[in-house]
């Protein structure tokens, strides 16, 4: 069965970086893209960007351009999302999702807390 | 960016009620519209994709429809496990924007 398992919760200081991983299993990793979605406390869902595993093409939300990098490692079937220059309003649960136009499988979420 | 507007933002309903949630796109998105259900502390779950196709394993009481840029999610007979927040999302173009959500609460 398809599973996406994310790395554990992180606490970071403002200005630091965080890298969240998402390990996939149960399907051929290279045949799907990934999207990353975040959810601030008590708020809705925000799409952060997309990466095509087969060709490495990325597409980031404009307001995150320059701070976010999405990558994949086909040898370990893992997707990564790195966010730099963290601010307090980056505090959120970060989700990876398998993307085929629809997000049919999601990771369990990773809480990233940015606090001094 | 395409704006997705959901209405209402919340509603109270009883078990057995028929419930209709609406999502309007700011421009044409063809049928590239997905619906998700999210319960507190959990990841979203895909219910409907391509406006009206039921995701595998989702109960048939959920259905989706479209009329132009207006999309609806209908729950034919609300069950206790359906109390949650529902989000629409367009997958026509990036950024893949979500609506702000509709919270379905117990009356």
């Amino acid at each position: 069965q398809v599973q996406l398992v994310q790395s554990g919760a992180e606490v970071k200081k403002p200005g630091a970086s965080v890298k969240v991983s998402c390990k996939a299993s149960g399907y051929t990793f290279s045949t799907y893209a990934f999207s990353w979605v975040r959810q601030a406390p008590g708020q809705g869902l925000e799409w952060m960007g997309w990466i095509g595993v087969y060709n490495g093409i990325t597409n980031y939300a404009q307001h995150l351009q320059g701070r976010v990098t999405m990558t994949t490692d086909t040898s370990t079937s893992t997707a990564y999302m790195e966010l730099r220059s963290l601010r307090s309003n980056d505090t959120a649960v970060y989700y990876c999702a398998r993307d085929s136009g629809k997000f049919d499988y999601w990771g369990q979420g990773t809480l990233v807390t940015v606090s001094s | 960016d395409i704006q997705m507007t959901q209405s209402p933002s919340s509603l109270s309903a009883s078990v057995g009620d028929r419930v209709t949630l609406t999502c309007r796109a700011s421009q044409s998105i063809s049928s590239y519209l997905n619906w998700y259900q999210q319960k507190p502390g959990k990841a979203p779950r895909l219910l409907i994709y391509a406006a009206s196709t039921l995701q595998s394993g989702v109960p048939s009481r959920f259905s989706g429809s479209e009329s132009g840029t207006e999309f609806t999610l209908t729950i034919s007979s609300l069950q206790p496990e359906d109390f949650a927040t529902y989000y629409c999302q367009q997958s026509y173009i990036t950024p893949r924007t979500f609506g702000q959500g509709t919270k379905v609460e117990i009356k």
Side-chain angles (χ1 to χ4, degrees):
Chain A
Q1 72 284 16
V2 175
Q3 278 192 303
L4 302 179
V5 179
Q6 297 184 221
S7 48
E10 303 261 15
V11 179
K12 297 291 183 181
K13 293 192 182 304
S17 299
V18 68
K19 191 170 186 176
V20 179
S21 66
C22 170
K23 184 170 178 59
S25 60
Y27 71 97
T28 303
F29 183 68
S30 60
T31 56
Y32 290 85
F34 280 90
S35 272
W36 288 85
V37 175
R38 69 180 179 178
Q39 187 169 37
Q43 303 301 308
L45 302 171
E46 177 192 3
W47 181 82
M48 300 177 66
W50 172 97
I51 180 165
V53 175
Y54 180 75
N55 52 22
I57 291 177
T58 55
N59 186 311
Y60 302 138
Q62 189 167 14
H63 68 285
L64 294 173
Q65 286 271 7
R67 288 207 300 139
V68 68
T69 301
M70 296 175 187
T71 56
T72 61
D73 182 343
T74 55
S75 69
T76 60
S77 299
T78 303
Y80 297 92
M81 186 284 301
E82 181 180 32
L83 189 61
R84 300 176 292 279
S85 301
L86 289 168
R87 310 157 182 165
S88 58
N89 61 2
D90 291 318
T91 294
V93 176
Y94 289 74
Y95 295 102
C96 61
R98 193 176 79 165
D99 185 348
S100 58
K102 58 186 185 290
F103 298 173
D104 55 355
Y105 289 92
W106 294 66
Q108 82 276 19
T110 297
L111 175 62
V112 175
T113 303
V114 183
S115 174
S116 54
Chain B
D1 297 358
I2 297 176
Q3 307 303 316
M4 306 301 294
T5 304
Q6 291 186 241
S7 60
S9 55
S10 65
L11 66 89
S12 296
S14 300
V15 172
D17 284 354
R18 180 182 181 89
V19 170
T20 299
L21 284 58
T22 298
C23 174
R24 178 172 279 115
S26 61
Q27 65 185 73
S28 174
I29 57 170
S30 188
S31 298
Y32 292 91
L33 190 283
N34 306 317
W35 288 98
Y36 301 88
Q37 175 194 66
Q38 188 181 33
K39 297 181 179 178
K42 299 293 188 182
R45 171 197 181 196
L46 177 67
L47 298 177
I48 301 274
Y49 63 94
S52 60
T53 303
L54 198 66
Q55 172 69 357
S56 174
V58 174
S60 59
R61 63 181 179 273
F62 290 93
S63 64
S65 64
E66 63 178 294
S67 177
T69 59
E70 185 168 295
F71 300 84
T72 58
L73 173 70
T74 299
I75 310 172
S76 60
S77 177
L78 200 63
Q79 297 302 300
E81 60 267 31
D82 301 337
F83 293 96
T85 300
Y86 293 83
Y87 294 93
C88 64
Q89 179 218 21
Q90 62 84 16
S91 57
Y92 181 71
I93 194 172
T94 58
R96 298 191 191 279
T97 40
F98 289 90
Q100 80 280 16
T102 294
K103 186 173 184 178
V104 177
E105 298 175 301
I106 302 172
K107 182 183 283 185

